[in-house]
């Protein structure tokens, strides 16, 4: 065995003992750095709603860095408005936040947006809607008698539901035969404190369908209401030198040359047996007839000489189709006296 191998074998136990007795080598302490990333965002709902004002809420995880946040809102997903920016300190826990927003309308879009040094994170889009205690809907007053040609029509009603006060609304119309798109009539209006409203339409000359609409991004529409326009009829009387013999004349507007015109007597009748007839105790009975003649481009005329055999209240009634731009109309009633010979026996 060589001297070198022999020496190593003799020194081996000593080296092991020294190594075990030697103090440990100090190691540098290692601190784990938190991972930083873009913020995590969740868009919440709307609370404390007061008309068009509300507090928009959400949740943000800053994800380890100083984070700035705000809400975007507007009528579409292009938004257009935002709340004032605020900040959250660096951290890794979820934080609930809320910001006040004004000028909100039902149907507006909104979302929470947060950013830090690692990126920008928009939350999901949500739609603002007032919490309702009842369904929003229009209740329109029932249509009454036709409006006389050229007269004024008043449409009134109420917007029901929560948030119905001071809502911007508009009246829209489609004239007969109701095939045109609805277009605004006059200026927009606002509902009252309890949702009530009223629109006036002057110089109505054609039967028209109407509806009322809110001016929200997602409009609410009323049901359709059809208002008919009746021909305007005037009736005048001129006496002759003979008792009971009179000339009845007048005009029809708009011009309706060739239309059938009846002179009707207001009379009492016995109630009928049907539910509808038993409530009817009066009616107009035709006594004379004539045709409307050409007058001007806008007005037709009529004239007839008759002998009044039954005295009473008479009106002139122009017979037109019951559905159309202009429907049947009648004049005010006039009192006519029967001829003395005709009145005997009655």
């Amino acid at each position: 065995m060589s001297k070198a191998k022999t020496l190593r074998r003799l020194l081996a136990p000593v080296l092991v003992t020294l190594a075990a007795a030697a103090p440990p080598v100090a190691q540098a302490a290692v601190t784990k750095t938190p991972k930083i990333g873009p913020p995590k965002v969740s868009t919440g709902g709307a609370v404390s709603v007061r008309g068009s004002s509300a507090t928009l809420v959400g949740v943000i995880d800053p994800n380890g860095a100083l984070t700035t946040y705000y809400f975007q809102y507007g009528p579409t997903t292009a938004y257009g408005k935002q709340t004032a920016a605020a900040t959250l300190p660096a951290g890794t826990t979820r934080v609930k936040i809320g910001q006040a927003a004004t000028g909100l309308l039902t149907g507006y879009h909104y979302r929470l947006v947060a950013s830090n040094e690692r990126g920008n994170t928009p939350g999901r889009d949500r739609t603002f809607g007032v919490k309702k205690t009842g369904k929003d809907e229009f209740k329109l007053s029932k249509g009454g008698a036709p409006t006389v040609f050229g007269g004024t029509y008043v449409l009134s009603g109420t917007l029901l539901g929560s948030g119905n006060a001071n809502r911007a609304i508009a009246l829209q119309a489609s004239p007969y035969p109701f095939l045109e798109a609805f277009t605004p009539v006059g200026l927009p209006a606002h509902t009252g404190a309890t949702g009530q409203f009223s629109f006036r339409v002057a110089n109505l000359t054609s039967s028209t369908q109407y509806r009322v609409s809110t001016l929200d991004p997602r409009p609410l529409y009323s049901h359709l209401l059809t208002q008919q326009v009746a021909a305007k009829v005037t009736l005048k009387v001129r006496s002759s030198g003979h008792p009971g013999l009179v000339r009845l004349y007048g005009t029809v507007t708009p011009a309706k040359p060739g239309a059938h015109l009846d002179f009707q007597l207001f009379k009492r009748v016995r109630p009928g047996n049907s539910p509808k007839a038993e409530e009817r105790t009066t009616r107009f009975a035709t006594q004379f007839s004539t045709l409307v003649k050409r007058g001007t481009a806008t007005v037709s005329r009529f004239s007839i000489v008759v002998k009044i055999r039954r005295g009473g209240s008479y009106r002139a009634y122009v017979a037109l189709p019951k559905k159309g731009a202009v429907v049947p109309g009648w004049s005010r009633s006039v009192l006519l006296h029967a001829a003395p010979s005709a009145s005997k026996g009655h």
Side-chain angles (χ1 to χ4, degrees):
M1 180 180 296
S2 67
K3 292 181 179 181
K5 291 183 178 179
T6 302
L7 183 60
R8 285 196 299 271
R9 186 173 62 181
L10 293 173
L11 293 176
V14 177
L15 294 174
V16 171
T17 302
L18 292 173
V25 178
Q27 295 183 355
V30 178
T31 301
K32 188 177 181 181
T33 303
K35 185 178 179 180
I36 298 176
K40 299 176 182 179
V41 175
S42 175
T43 306
V47 298
S48 301
V49 178
R50 295 291 184 274
S52 62
S53 299
T55 298
L56 304 179
V57 299
V59 177
I60 299 175
D61 179 353
N63 213 0
L66 180 71
T67 295
T68 301
Y69 67 90
Y70 54 86
F71 284 90
Q72 294 178 318
Y73 62 98
T76 68
T77 51
Y79 305 106
K81 297 181 181 180
Q82 72 176 53
T83 59
T87 58
L88 288 175
T92 56
T93 59
R94 290 163 56 88
V95 180
K96 294 181 180 181
I97 58 92
Q99 286 189 308
T102 59
L104 288 163
L105 293 176
T106 300
Y108 264 31
H109 294 261
Y110 70 94
R111 69 179 179 182
L112 174 60
V113 180
S115 60
N116 61 21
E117 61 185 76
R118 291 302 178 92
N120 182 73
T121 306
R124 71 182 180 92
D125 177 82
R126 296 193 66 168
T127 303
F128 175 75
V130 176
K131 187 176 181 181
K132 302 173 183 178
T133 57
K135 182 180 178 182
D136 282 357
E137 62 178 348
F138 283 104
K139 183 178 181 181
L140 303 183
S141 56
K142 294 183 179 180
T147 299
V148 177
F149 185 89
T152 298
Y153 169 60
V154 178
L155 185 151
S156 58
T158 305
L159 176 60
L160 305 176
S162 58
N164 61 347
N166 199 35
R167 289 280 288 277
I169 57 174
L171 179 64
Q172 300 175 341
S174 177
Y176 184 86
F178 319 132
L179 300 178
E180 297 181 17
F182 280 88
T183 56
V185 177
L187 298 175
H190 286 80
T191 60
T194 58
Q196 74 278 10
F197 59 87
S198 181
F199 290 97
R200 293 176 64 87
V201 182
N203 193 31
L204 189 60
T205 59
S206 175
S207 297
T208 304
Q209 281 189 341
Y210 292 98
R211 72 180 183 187
V212 181
S213 167
T214 61
L215 297 181
D216 301 334
R218 294 184 179 180
L220 171 69
Y221 297 103
S222 71
H223 64 272
L224 301 182
L225 189 63
T226 301
Q227 180 63 23
Q228 293 183 315
V229 170
K232 182 178 181 180
V233 182
T234 66
L235 173 61
K236 296 182 179 180
V237 182
R238 180 172 293 176
S239 300
S240 67
H242 302 279
L245 191 65
V246 297
R247 183 166 77 93
L248 304 177
Y249 65 101
T251 60
V252 175
T253 310
K256 294 293 180 181
H260 193 86
L261 190 104
D262 295 327
F263 297 94
Q264 300 177 329
L265 171 65
F266 180 79
K267 59 185 299 186
R268 297 189 179 278
V269 296
R270 290 183 178 179
N273 294 325
S274 66
K276 184 176 180 179
E278 68 181 4
E279 297 180 0
R280 185 176 183 182
T281 59
T282 61
R283 70 182 180 91
F284 280 94
T286 299
Q287 306 296 305
F288 319 101
S289 297
T290 189
L291 296 179
V292 178
K293 298 180 180 179
R294 187 177 302 277
T296 67
T298 58
V299 178
S300 297
R301 303 185 184 281
F302 61 87
S303 178
I304 185 175
V305 177
V306 294
K307 188 171 185 178
I308 305 301
R309 300 185 179 278
R310 302 186 63 180
S313 295
Y314 281 78
R315 72 176 185 181
Y317 174 91
V318 61
L320 300 175
K322 294 185 178 180
K323 292 183 179 181
V326 179
V327 299
W330 51 89
S331 70
R332 63 179 180 84
S333 296
V334 296
L335 182 62
L336 300 177
H337 298 283
S341 59
S343 62
K344 293 179 180 179
H346 288 275

